[in-house]
Amino acid sequence: MKNKNIFLTAMLMALPSMLMAQKNIQKAFDQFLAEKEQIAVKPHHMLEKDPETGKKIAQCDVYDFAVDNKSLTSFAKELLEDIESAFELDKEAAYKLNSGESNEYAQYVNLTVGDGSQPGVAIGRIPNSRYVYSCFLDKDDPDKKNRYAYALEWAEEDGKINGRLAVTYGLMPQYQQHRGRITYNNLQIPNLWGGAIPSEEVELDYDTLFVDSLPDFNSIQIKALSTVWFTQFNGFSNLFRKQQSLTKEKGDAAATRYATEIYGLCKRADALDDHDKAMAVKELEKLRKRTKDEFVQELFDKSIELLRK
C-alpha cells in the first residue's frame, strides 16, 4: 500500500498545474464520458496554437449528451450529481464559481474561447436546466492572462436527460480587445450590439443595462451564430420590456424602436435551428401581449411569421 501511495503521489506531481487545480472536476468528467456506450455523446473539439511558439492560445471541448432510455436515468443522474460535487471540491482552486437554474427570463452565459473573437460556448440555454461553471487561472502561463473554464448543464424532462459538458481555454475577459463598450453598473463590458460575445466575468441583467450608444443596427453584419443572435434578441426584448414600464410619453418611442430592431433580427435568422426559432416565437408572443400599439403588434406578427417559415 505504501508503494502505491508513493506511485500515486509521483503521478500527481507530474501532472500539469492546470489539471491539479481542477483534478476532481476532470476526474468526474472522465467518469461520465467513459459511459459513452450507454449515454449518447456528441463531441466537438477545437485547439489552436501559436504557429511560432507552439503555445496554446485557444481550446474548446464540448460534449452534448442525451439519455433517452428511462432505465438509465437514475444512473446518469448519479454521475451528473458527482460532477456537481466535484465543482464544490475544487472551488478553492477556482477564481470564479457560479451555479443556478435556467428559466425563460434568465440570461445565458457564453464561456469565451481564445481572445473572444470566435464563438463562445453557451451555458444556460437548455430550458429548465441546472448549471455550474468554474474558472481557473492557467498557472503555466507566465503572463497570468489565460484561464480554463469548466462547465456542466443538464435538464431532466419526462424521464429523459439532456445536457452539456464543456472545457474552454482563452484570455480572461479583461485582456480581450472589443470594438465597442457599454456600461453596466459602472463596469465596462463588451458592446453586444457590436458583435462581441459576452464574457463569463459579468452577470448580464438587461433590466439594469445602461447603453451608452446603440449603433445603427441595420449596418451591422450579424454573425451566423445562434448564440450571438440570441444575445441581441434577448437584449432588445428586455429593453422593450423596460421601456414599456415607463410613462407613455417616455416609453412608446423607444419601445417601438426596439420592436423594429427585433423585426430586423428576425429577417436575418438563418443561424437558428427549429428549436431556437420556437423559443424566440414564444418570447415574441409574450411581447405582443404587452402592447396595444397596432404598429408594434404588426411588427411582432411579422417577426413570428418570418421565424415560422
Side-chain angles (χ1 to χ4, degrees):
M1 179 64 70
K2 182 177 180 180
N3 289 336
K4 288 184 178 181
N5 289 338
I6 293 175
F7 178 69
L8 177 60
T9 301
M11 285 184 63
L12 293 174
M13 290 179 64
L15 292 174
S17 59
M18 174 277 297
L19 182 57
M20 286 291 292
Q22 52 266 26
K23 61 180 183 295
N24 291 296
I25 298 175
Q26 186 63 62
K27 180 180 178 181
F29 272 31
D30 291 342
Q31 288 176 337
F32 183 87
L33 296 172
E35 303 296 336
K36 59 185 178 181
E37 292 185 1
Q38 301 186 74
I39 301 172
V41 178
K42 293 182 179 179
H44 168 75
H45 302 287
M46 186 278 285
L47 176 64
E48 183 178 350
K49 295 182 179 181
D50 185 309
E52 295 184 0
T53 65
K55 179 183 177 182
K56 177 165 60 179
I57 56 178
Q59 175 186 340
C60 177
D61 297 300
V62 179
Y63 306 88
D64 290 318
F65 58 84
V67 180
D68 295 328
N69 188 336
K70 294 183 179 181
S71 64
L72 293 173
T73 300
S74 178
F75 171 66
K77 285 178 66 175
E78 288 183 11
L79 292 174
L80 292 169
E81 289 169 355
D82 285 345
I83 295 177
E84 291 175 333
S85 298
F87 276 90
E88 184 67 20
L89 290 173
D90 286 341
K91 70 178 182 179
E92 294 302 323
Y95 71 79
K96 184 178 183 67
L97 172 65
N98 202 340
S99 62
E101 297 181 356
S102 69
N103 58 63
E104 60 182 315
Y105 301 108
Q107 300 297 324
Y108 66 88
V109 172
N110 259 305
L111 299 178
T112 53
V113 177
D115 62 2
S117 62
Q118 49 196 306
V121 176
I123 299 296
R125 281 190 56 196
I126 299 174
N128 302 312
S129 67
R130 49 203 273 189
Y131 66 86
V132 58
Y133 68 90
S134 285
C135 298
F136 302 85
L137 182 67
D138 178 9
K139 292 181 169 36
D140 292 328
D141 175 19
D143 298 324
K144 307 302 181 189
K145 292 183 177 180
N146 288 280
R147 64 97 183 97
Y148 286 88
Y150 282 70
L152 163 67
E153 177 184 11
W154 65 285
E156 180 183 6
E157 184 176 2
D158 297 329
K160 299 179 180 180
I161 293 176
N162 67 96
R164 164 174 287 185
L165 296 176
V167 182
T168 66
Y169 180 84
L171 285 171
M172 290 191 286
Q174 60 265 39
Y175 300 113
Q176 298 171 16
Q177 299 296 318
H178 300 284
R179 288 185 294 166
R181 313 298 291 185
I182 60 177
T183 301
Y184 167 73
N185 285 358
N186 297 320
L187 294 176
Q188 293 295 313
I189 62 175
N191 182 344
L192 308 184
W193 291 269
I197 295 175
S199 77
E200 73 275 11
E201 290 300 315
V202 180
E203 294 300 315
L204 298 179
D205 178 0
Y206 288 94
D207 288 335
T208 54
L209 183 67
F210 301 96
V211 182
D212 290 335
S213 62
L214 276 175
D216 177 9
F217 195 74
N218 292 327
S219 68
I220 297 173
Q221 181 65 39
I222 301 176
K223 296 180 181 179
L225 298 168
S226 63
T227 52
V228 175
W229 192 95
F230 265 103
T231 295
Q232 296 163 336
F233 178 81
N234 288 339
F236 287 126
S237 173
N238 283 282
L239 286 169
F240 176 84
R241 290 174 185 271
K242 180 179 178 181
Q243 294 301 323
Q244 282 273 299
S245 66
L246 299 178
T247 63
K248 182 175 179 60
E249 293 76 14
K250 291 183 178 180
D252 278 359
T256 301
R257 175 187 179 185
Y258 298 135
T260 303
E261 303 289 11
I262 289 173
Y263 173 65
L265 261 181
C266 293
K267 292 171 68 175
R268 300 185 291 272
D270 294 340
L272 305 188
D273 58 25
D274 290 342
H275 176 71
D276 290 335
K277 290 180 179 179
M279 290 194 337
V281 166
K282 184 178 179 181
E283 173 65 9
L284 286 168
E285 289 173 341
K286 292 179 181 178
L287 294 178
R288 190 188 188 285
K289 292 178 181 179
R290 294 179 62 92
T291 180
K292 295 182 180 180
D293 187 300
E294 292 183 1
F295 175 69
V296 174
Q297 287 180 340
E298 185 175 355
L299 284 173
F300 288 142
D301 286 339
K302 290 294 185 181
S303 297
I304 291 171
E305 181 180 327
L306 287 167
L307 293 177
R308 284 178 171 166
K309 284 184 177 180

